[in-house]
Amino acid sequence: MLTAAPRGTKDILPATVASWRYVEETMRTVSDIYGYGEIRTPIFEHTELFLRGIGDTTDVVEKEMYTFTDRGERSITLRPENTASVVRAYVENKLYAEGTPTKLFYIGPMFRYDRPQAGRMRQFHQFGVEAIGAAPAIIDAEVIVLAADILNKLGLKDLKLLINSVGCPKCRPEHRQKLRNYFHPYLEELCEDCRSRYDRNPLRILDCKQPACKQIAATAPTLDTCLCEECSIHFSELQSLLMAAKLKFELDANLVRGLDYYTKTAFEIQYTPLGAQSALCGGGRYDGLVEQIGGPATPGIGFAMGIERVLLALEKQGSLPFSHNFVDVFIVSTEAKHRDLAFNMMKQFRNLGLKTEIDFIGRSLKAQMKQANRLNARHAIILGDEEVARGKVVLRDMRTSEQNEVNIDGISKLLCKTEVRENE
Ligand code: AMP
């Protein structure tokens, strides 16, 4: 127990952190180019925010939240997603005063009591963007293009963009009625959750993961037949904009997404080779959300991208790792009397930005050379007794095995020059 991380969580170890950082940096850089500013909200919020914001008939709220009562008797929840929190921060900090639309992005851990499997964790990480304050389809298009751009810049191939319109409070009631009429004869065959969803929110039945419900839902009436004029126009404008951006997409009338707050645009980007967990990112428009959590009526759109999933996709494609670990210099020194010199040299090299390592546990000369190899060292500097007495050390090129005696005084300069030459 004590030596195992909780189920559904994972340590991210140094060997993989380089890939994480590369992915996160790409996300930050692209967001910056698109004019989205980073926001960092608390990891936990009042439970009420998610009940109101995500919708109390969703799987996330019904089954997956990490909720507890704190010492002040408040009900607190570890954030299962970040849109509700960002919208809360937008209202609380009056971010609308800073110009419209407010364009934000975030990166951080989310928590859901899900059934752990490959690509499905209890603590996972999402990158996401929210554009709050603009209603026209052009902002939907920007957000979708941004998501695709990040995945393209990361070098992912075989991506599939699915889009749909889930309508608005004007066109949903007709669809809801059509769904109830459709599901009514199947009520006995639906799972218990879906039977309760039938009354509360039949749209959620389309999202159920139970095979029997899935099969019944496969031929349920889709929303495209009920869209009001405003939603239809919005949806066709979006398609025209995506075509203008030369972004391929497919229409998927069954794409409803797992959270209640979506209106009009819903979209998902999949990497099909990942099978059951192929969704890398999903999002949509949430025109009622700001008002629902107590702010002024304000439209918004956003998405969240699973970082673990993106990394799994990159791994599947054979694109990982992004960087190789290496050391510029390994200082080999076995004599206690050279310890201060070796330590001082290491400090000087590090000041110059050279990744420098030394032996910390009293290895033999041979074992230190082995260690230098293991660390993928570019150079070794060997402090031999006789050389040091003459103010010299041996510089060994670890790739070619070429060795030269060099002056201790000029060594920093020499190494820097080598590094510069290699980076050119
Ligand atoms: P959602 O917030 O449910 O719309 O999910 C957005 C994206 O986050 C998904 O497309 C996944 O890439 C990722 N994601 C959602 N839930 C999990 C999870 N339990 N573990 C890992 N990634 C997840």
Side-chain angles (χ1 to χ4, degrees):
M1 245 333 227
L2 276 182
T3 53
R7 192 165 141 76
T9 69
K10 227 180 185 167
D11 300 310
I12 304 166
L13 301 174
T16 50
V17 161
S19 302
W20 276 80
R21 278 170 52 167
Y22 182 76
V23 167
E24 289 170 359
E25 269 324 295
T26 306
M27 290 166 167
R28 287 201 162 87
T29 307
V30 176
S31 301
D32 189 43
I33 291 170
Y34 280 69
Y36 288 70
E38 182 166 357
I39 183 164
R40 301 184 186 193
T41 58
I43 302 283
F44 59 83
E45 298 272 357
H46 296 293
T47 303
E48 184 65 19
L49 175 69
F50 301 118
L51 297 184
R52 290 259 215 112
I54 299 177
D56 52 11
T57 58
T58 57
D59 269 3
V60 169
V61 167
E62 277 184 340
K63 301 180 191 157
E64 298 173 0
M65 294 209 304
Y66 278 91
T67 299
F68 60 95
T69 306
D70 74 5
R71 287 167 193 272
E73 298 298 314
R74 296 172 203 91
S75 180
I76 293 292
T77 295
L78 300 185
R79 61 186 190 189
E81 56 100 58
N82 213 22
T83 301
S85 310
V86 170
V87 168
R88 194 248 333 118
Y90 168 85
V91 175
E92 185 173 343
N93 300 287
K94 302 191 175 51
L95 296 183
Y96 38 84
E98 291 167 23
T100 303
T102 305
K103 305 207 286 187
L104 303 164
F105 82 89
Y106 60 84
I107 296 181
M110 308 294 154
F111 307 85
R112 291 185 198 172
Y113 194 81
D114 224 328
R115 200 163 51 81
Q117 52 198 290
R120 190 162 284 283
M121 311 276 299
R122 290 184 174 168
Q123 174 174 333
F124 59 100
H125 298 76
Q126 285 184 335
F127 156 80
V129 312
E130 313 295 348
I132 310 174
I138 190 161
I139 192 83
D140 305 36
E142 169 173 283
V143 161
I144 295 174
V145 170
L146 190 167
D149 214 5
I150 287 173
L151 298 171
N152 287 331
K153 286 229 159 61
L154 288 170
L156 277 171
K157 311 267 184 295
D158 298 323
L159 297 171
K160 196 153 92 179
L161 166 62
L162 302 173
I163 61 168
N164 189 26
S165 175
V166 296
C168 70
K170 262 184 281 168
C171 36
R172 285 241 186 108
E174 185 190 333
H175 183 232
R176 212 171 290 143
Q177 197 46 51
K178 276 193 178 170
L179 283 177
R180 286 208 180 99
N181 295 346
Y182 172 83
F183 283 117
H184 191 261
Y186 300 106
L187 267 178
E188 290 299 303
E189 294 163 53
L190 294 174
C191 73
E192 206 182 313
D193 283 343
C194 282
R195 283 203 292 275
S196 117
R197 288 171 182 143
Y198 176 85
D199 291 317
R200 296 199 290 159
N201 186 356
L203 193 67
R204 289 269 73 86
I205 301 176
L206 305 182
D207 222 26
C208 183
K209 288 160 195 136
Q210 300 287 338
C213 303
K214 256 185 157 167
Q215 201 185 349
I216 297 168
T219 45
T222 51
L223 223 148
D224 47 351
T225 53
C226 319
L227 288 185
C228 68
E229 198 187 350
E230 189 189 317
C231 287
S232 290
I233 294 174
H234 187 95
F235 196 38
S236 61
E237 282 178 0
L238 172 65
Q239 294 176 48
S240 157
L241 286 157
L242 293 178
M243 283 188 247
K246 307 248 177 314
L247 195 59
K248 278 201 202 123
F249 59 86
E250 288 174 32
L251 301 183
D252 181 354
N254 290 317
L255 182 72
V256 291
R257 315 266 323 122
L259 315 175
D260 268 356
Y261 51 59
Y262 288 113
T263 52
K264 294 187 174 139
T265 307
F267 73 99
E268 203 164 278
I269 302 183
Q270 300 181 344
Y271 177 75
T272 31
L274 282 187
Q277 314 301 335
S278 64
L280 300 187
C281 107
R285 182 163 273 286
Y286 45 81
D287 288 347
L289 182 61
V290 182
E291 197 174 9
Q292 206 167 318
I293 70 158
T298 315
I301 174 149
F303 71 79
M305 187 179 280
I307 301 186
E308 281 84 354
R309 296 265 176 100
V310 169
L311 285 162
L312 274 178
L314 287 165
E315 192 180 358
K316 185 113 194 159
Q317 201 182 260
S319 308
L320 290 186
F322 276 116
S323 82
H324 298 285
N325 263 337
F326 68 95
V327 158
D328 292 309
V329 193
F330 190 97
I331 301 174
V332 178
S333 166
T334 52
E335 305 272 343
K337 63 179 176 219
H338 297 149
R339 191 172 33 222
D340 293 356
L341 171 67
F343 194 67
N344 173 273
M345 248 184 195
M346 178 159 76
K347 178 79 175 47
Q348 280 187 40
F349 293 164
R350 285 177 173 170
N351 282 349
L352 292 166
L354 298 172
K355 287 165 76 167
T356 311
E357 281 301 326
I358 204 166
D359 168 59
F360 291 102
I361 55 173
R363 288 182 177 88
S364 68
L365 177 73
K366 200 168 148 209
Q368 288 191 34
M369 292 307 290
K370 236 178 165 174
Q371 176 69 355
N373 265 323
R374 207 182 63 80
L375 294 176
N376 210 359
R378 182 71 192 82
H379 301 281
I381 286 179
I382 304 156
L383 306 194
D385 217 8
E386 190 231 327
E387 288 87 355
V388 172
R390 287 189 281 117
K392 310 239 175 201
V393 289
V394 173
L395 176 63
R396 181 183 172 92
D397 184 316
M398 297 296 283
R399 277 184 220 159
T400 61
S401 301
E402 196 185 319
Q403 290 197 170
N404 285 305
E405 258 189 29
V406 296
N407 287 332
I408 293 182
D409 288 345
I411 193 154
S412 306
K413 262 196 204 138
L414 188 73
L415 281 174
C416 279
K417 264 198 210 139
T418 320
E419 290 312 309
V420 172
R421 259 210 322 274
E422 282 188 354
N423 293 333
E424 270 167 5

